Amino acid sequence: MRRAIFPGSFDPFTLGHYDVISRGIPLFDEVVVAIGVNGSKKYMFTLEERKRFIEEAFADEPKIKVVTYSGLTVDFCKEINANFILRGLRNPADFEFEKAIAHTNRKLSSIETVFLLTASSTSFISSSIVRDVIRNNGDYTILVPDTVRVK
């Protein structure tokens, strides 16, 4: 089975995330959206909210599974028998950052990282930008799937 994980904090889940996951579906038998838990980070959305946003966005897609994990991503890959890490690249800075992580992961394990370029229509979107728009009462709804709503 070709199982990939798409790791991240997804705070919040954006249209960019949605795009990369959607385009990964035909490449793998299963895509596990893995929400990393970091106790030292302050999140805008709870873990339960972030998980629900993603599950609802892919409710009709049986190849998508949403889970949470802590620790090293490569260790989690081994735990669930995932041979691939799926990552999206928005710009050259993303590439340099992700390349270093991919090389490290490859050194620590046999896990391959597969990069997909984000769609031009979503390449400017980041979770930090969305959080800033939300904090300043802007229209964040054009940057996230319909499942993401602020209370």
Side-chain angles (χ1 to χ4, degrees):
M1 172 182 267
R2 289 182 329 251
R3 178 178 291 131
I5 72 160
F6 185 68
S9 59
F10 307 107
D11 187 38
F13 186 62
T14 71
L15 288 175
H17 297 132
Y18 185 87
D19 170 65
V20 171
I21 294 167
S22 295
R23 290 188 299 121
I25 291 169
L27 303 176
F28 302 101
D29 299 313
E30 181 177 65
V31 176
V32 178
V33 181
I35 305 170
V37 177
N38 181 341
S40 64
K41 256 182 123 173
K42 176 81 170 117
Y43 296 105
M44 178 175 272
F45 295 93
T46 67
L47 183 61
E48 294 76 22
E49 287 172 318
R50 290 179 281 146
K51 191 169 189 267
R52 188 180 74 246
F53 295 155
I54 302 166
E55 287 173 337
E56 290 177 2
F58 289 103
D60 296 328
E61 180 47 66
K63 290 172 74 172
I64 299 294
K65 182 177 176 183
V66 184
V67 300
T68 62
Y69 78 104
S70 59
L72 291 176
T73 300
V74 291
D75 290 342
F76 183 66
C77 286
K78 292 174 190 173
E79 185 181 316
I80 67 165
N81 296 315
N83 297 100
F84 303 94
I85 297 172
L86 177 62
R87 299 297 293 160
L89 298 174
R90 295 173 297 177
N91 54 48
D94 277 358
F95 174 73
E96 290 300 327
F97 177 74
E98 293 290 347
K99 179 177 75 166
I101 294 171
H103 284 312
T104 303
N105 287 341
R106 189 77 175 100
K107 191 77 168 170
L108 296 172
S109 70
S110 62
I111 308 297
E112 291 289 351
T113 301
V114 176
F115 296 113
L116 291 180
L117 296 177
T118 57
S120 59
S121 61
T122 62
S123 65
F124 65 96
I125 302 171
S126 71
S127 291
S128 58
I129 288 173
V130 175
R131 287 192 306 272
D132 196 44
V133 171
I134 292 169
R135 276 189 213 101
N136 290 287
N137 299 311
D139 183 8
Y140 68 93
T141 62
I142 61 173
L143 305 171
V144 298
D146 292 339
T147 59
V148 178
R149 291 295 170 255
V150 176
K151 295 177 187 175

